[in-house]
Amino acid sequence: MVTLLLDSTRLEVALSGMERALSFHKGNVILERTTIVKVQLVDDAWTWLRGVHAPGTYLRGALAMGTWKSAGASDFVLIRRRRPAIVIDLDGHDEFERVILSTRHGLALVEALRVATGDEPEDVTEIAAQARRRRTRKTAGGTAVAPALG
């Protein structure tokens, strides 16, 4: 499963050795926060694939990893089976226009992107959990209401 690390300036998609091999990508995928335009939670990541894998690994309905190229666009894809996913639209990234990742931590990523983070990379699930704990303490005292996602 993909690990998402976030700090005040960037989101890092930390790839395991197997993910690097299957995606034909040498290092982690780094996304500057300023290039992230939109993050969407999706149930079926397969419908978001466009173009052909070049380079990458594709096993129909089971696995899609690597770079997908279409007319004038390149997407980085890590999709496993029929799992929930996130689609991250980018503007101004050097390599990709979109990143599609199967992860059960999509909601945590959305929450973490809304929170001011420090300079050290942290796992998005930890950032989101800390933010939830802070909101819970505030709402328990009756002083604030947790913001809705949307």
Side-chain angles (χ1 to χ4, degrees):
M1 176 160 81
V2 98
T3 301
L4 303 171
L5 303 172
L6 185 67
D7 66 21
S8 61
T9 61
R10 68 187 195 170
L11 171 64
E12 182 173 350
V13 180
L15 304 175
S16 69
M18 182 64 72
E19 290 167 338
R20 287 181 187 183
L22 292 173
S23 67
F24 294 89
H25 203 270
K26 292 181 182 173
N28 294 339
V29 177
I30 308 294
L31 308 173
E32 297 299 322
R33 285 179 81 157
T34 57
T35 65
I36 298 173
V37 177
K38 181 169 50 170
V39 178
Q40 300 174 72
L41 302 173
V42 298
D43 288 328
D44 188 4
W46 296 97
T47 62
W48 291 85
L49 281 179
R50 59 184 178 185
V52 296
H53 55 94
T57 302
Y58 177 71
L59 299 171
R60 188 177 184 175
L63 181 76
M65 291 189 180
T67 301
W68 255 246
K69 295 190 180 201
S70 61
S74 290
D75 299 340
F76 184 78
V77 174
L78 281 177
I79 301 174
R80 291 184 181 94
R81 303 223 179 261
R82 298 273 178 212
R83 295 186 179 162
I86 54 173
V87 178
I88 304 170
D89 290 316
L90 305 169
D91 185 22
H93 191 269
D94 294 339
E95 199 172 357
F96 304 114
E97 280 73 37
R98 191 164 60 181
V99 174
I100 305 169
L101 306 169
S102 290
T103 180
R104 64 183 100 128
H105 302 300
L107 185 57
L109 174 62
V110 171
E111 290 176 344
L113 285 170
R114 301 175 103 196
V115 175
T117 55
D119 293 333
E120 291 298 316
E122 291 182 68
D123 191 301
V124 297
T125 55
E126 275 301 309
I127 296 169
Q130 291 169 7
R132 275 188 231 113
R133 284 191 293 269
R134 282 192 295 265
R135 283 196 310 263
T136 303
R137 279 183 289 202
K138 285 182 182 178
T139 57
T143 58
V145 176
L149 288 176

